Amino acid sequence: MNIAEILTAGDGKKHFSFEVLPPLKGTGTERLFSTIEKFKDFDPAYINITTHHSEFVYREIEDGKFERLRVRRRPGTVAVASAIQQEFGVPVIPHVICSGASAENIEYELIDLQFLGIENLLLLRGDKAKEDSRFIPVEGGHTHTTELIEQVNRFNDGFFYDGTPIKKPGKKFAFGVACYPEKHEEAPNIEMDMEYLKQKQDLGAGYAVTQLFYDNQKYFDFVAKARQMGITIPIVPGIKPFAKLSQLTVVPKTFHCDLPQELAQEVLKCKTDDDARQLGIEWTTEQCRQLYAAGVSNIHFYTVSAVDSVREVAKRLL
């Protein structure tokens, strides 16, 4: 099913979805499937699977020298998406990213996904490589998400990237994109950032999912501004429970979002990480209650390092 159809069903139910990482190379799917088991009884609307580009690592060789190798620590997004769909019968949305991939690589990925009957994608630029000061596409790759969307649209229309017609086009992909209630870190201002979101909608994006946030008012203000700018697609709130004392400084730096003063003050009162985790569960539960009460139909949870917290929140809400 097209995920946008789920998000606009208007059935009055409280839906939720969540995001998982592919397993580390060589570790198998046991831990991943265990995570999904913890949520399946809550009837998730869909599951997102992230994609990670390769990175440089250094391996020591003889005479104290090192060689630089490019490796992917978490390969297998397409295969993992298929395995989850088959094992659990839940719609899956693999991430397809510009980062670290050429247009040819992406085309092969689209072909594999189509063969596997996976119809929904989340299209993203992806993060810059750790060794780069700014985002640099690989040779033959895309610089912006809009270019990736255009490639998927051409594929949907029955043409490969080089313009060659596809003899037997398959079912078209539906796709969503990311958005940032507190502005993407590289955007000069929120208005220009939202203009990019409008472009993605006009190119066919069926919905957008937000970067995580802890202040609902920023989400409500963002949605209101988006509607004023003609952005009509569903905007799914992305939520992640606060879980560790260290996140007081790490979260704003890593995800470029503010912690509300009230939350920050409560974190300072916490003595242990367990105290912080309990606070995060309480805060997130109230956040979600407010979002559902405001008419949000689906909340998307980021589960990395927060699986048990998200499960506890789901138990209280669903």
Side-chain angles (χ1 to χ4, degrees):
M1 177 182 287
N2 185 320
I3 297 303
E5 295 174 6
I6 295 176
L7 299 175
T8 57
D11 56 12
K13 295 181 180 179
K14 297 176 182 177
H15 296 286
F16 88 106
S17 54
F18 63 96
E19 179 176 291
V20 295
L21 277 66
L24 285 167
K25 184 178 179 180
T27 60
T29 59
E30 182 177 353
R31 184 173 179 180
L32 172 61
F33 283 7
S34 175
T35 293
I36 296 171
E37 287 283 352
K38 293 181 179 182
F39 295 114
K40 71 174 186 178
D41 291 342
F42 301 111
D43 192 25
Y46 56 88
I47 299 172
N48 274 31
I49 304 96
T50 64
T51 296
H52 301 262
H53 59 64
S54 59
E55 58 187 88
F56 284 118
V57 299
Y58 293 86
R59 185 175 66 183
E60 188 171 5
I61 54 178
E62 71 279 356
D63 299 328
K65 296 179 181 179
F66 289 83
E67 62 176 346
R68 189 170 78 160
L69 305 171
R70 183 172 281 280
V71 300
R72 290 186 66 187
R73 296 182 183 275
R74 294 183 183 273
T77 295
V78 172
V80 166
S82 178
I84 291 172
Q85 190 162 263
Q86 291 185 20
E87 181 74 16
F88 298 97
V90 178
V92 293
I93 305 181
H95 294 188
V96 177
I97 65 175
C98 305
S99 181
S102 67
E104 183 179 27
N105 296 147
I106 291 166
E107 186 168 276
Y108 292 145
E109 193 172 355
L110 296 177
I111 292 169
D112 287 345
L113 288 164
Q114 200 169 65
F115 284 157
L116 293 167
I118 294 172
E119 303 170 6
N120 293 282
L121 312 173
L122 190 68
L123 304 183
L124 309 164
R125 189 198 70 177
D127 297 331
K128 67 178 181 62
K130 291 180 179 179
E131 65 273 9
D132 293 334
S133 60
R134 59 183 176 82
F135 182 84
I136 301 174
V138 300
E139 185 177 354
H142 301 309
T143 303
H144 303 291
T145 307
T146 49
E147 297 168 358
L148 173 58
I149 292 174
E150 289 168 349
Q151 178 176 359
V152 173
N153 284 340
R154 283 198 296 273
F155 190 89
N156 280 345
D157 289 339
F159 294 91
F160 290 121
Y161 186 70
D162 64 2
T164 304
I166 301 173
K167 291 183 178 179
K168 292 187 177 181
K171 191 166 185 179
K172 294 184 177 182
F173 292 107
F175 56 87
V177 294
C179 62
Y180 303 85
E182 298 175 66
K183 187 182 80 65
H184 189 279
E185 61 175 306
E186 297 173 18
N189 54 65
I190 187 68
E191 288 77 15
M192 188 169 290
D193 199 23
M194 295 180 76
E195 287 177 7
Y196 296 145
L197 177 58
K198 177 67 162 55
Q199 290 177 21
K200 295 171 189 176
Q201 172 188 272
D202 293 346
L203 286 169
Y207 68 96
V209 59
T210 75
Q211 173 66 284
L212 59 88
F213 61 90
Y214 293 90
D215 184 345
N216 281 354
Q217 191 57 50
K218 293 192 174 182
Y219 169 79
F220 294 137
D221 291 346
F222 179 81
V223 173
K225 190 174 184 66
R227 300 308 181 222
Q228 291 173 2
M229 295 180 65
I231 299 169
T232 59
I233 56 177
I235 299 176
V236 180
I239 300 293
K240 183 174 182 177
F242 192 92
K244 295 181 180 180
L245 292 171
S246 62
Q247 291 179 348
L248 183 64
T249 55
V250 171
V251 165
K253 181 179 179 180
T254 303
F255 299 103
H256 307 280
C257 67
D258 290 340
L259 295 182
Q261 179 69 358
E262 181 183 353
L263 176 58
Q265 289 177 334
E266 290 301 315
V267 173
L268 290 174
K269 298 176 185 178
C270 295
K271 304 297 185 183
T272 65
D273 280 344
D274 189 59
D275 291 341
R277 191 179 77 86
Q278 291 302 319
L279 170 62
I281 290 170
E282 297 293 337
W283 185 274
T284 301
T285 300
E286 183 57 29
Q287 251 195 295
C288 293
R289 283 176 177 154
Q290 290 178 9
L291 290 165
Y292 282 133
V296 169
S297 63
N298 190 85
I299 293 175
H300 187 69
F301 289 106
Y302 299 108
T303 66
V304 177
S305 302
V307 171
D308 291 335
S309 293
V310 172
R311 175 173 166 77
E312 181 59 34
V313 171
K315 285 170 63 177
R316 298 183 184 194
L317 293 171
L318 303 169

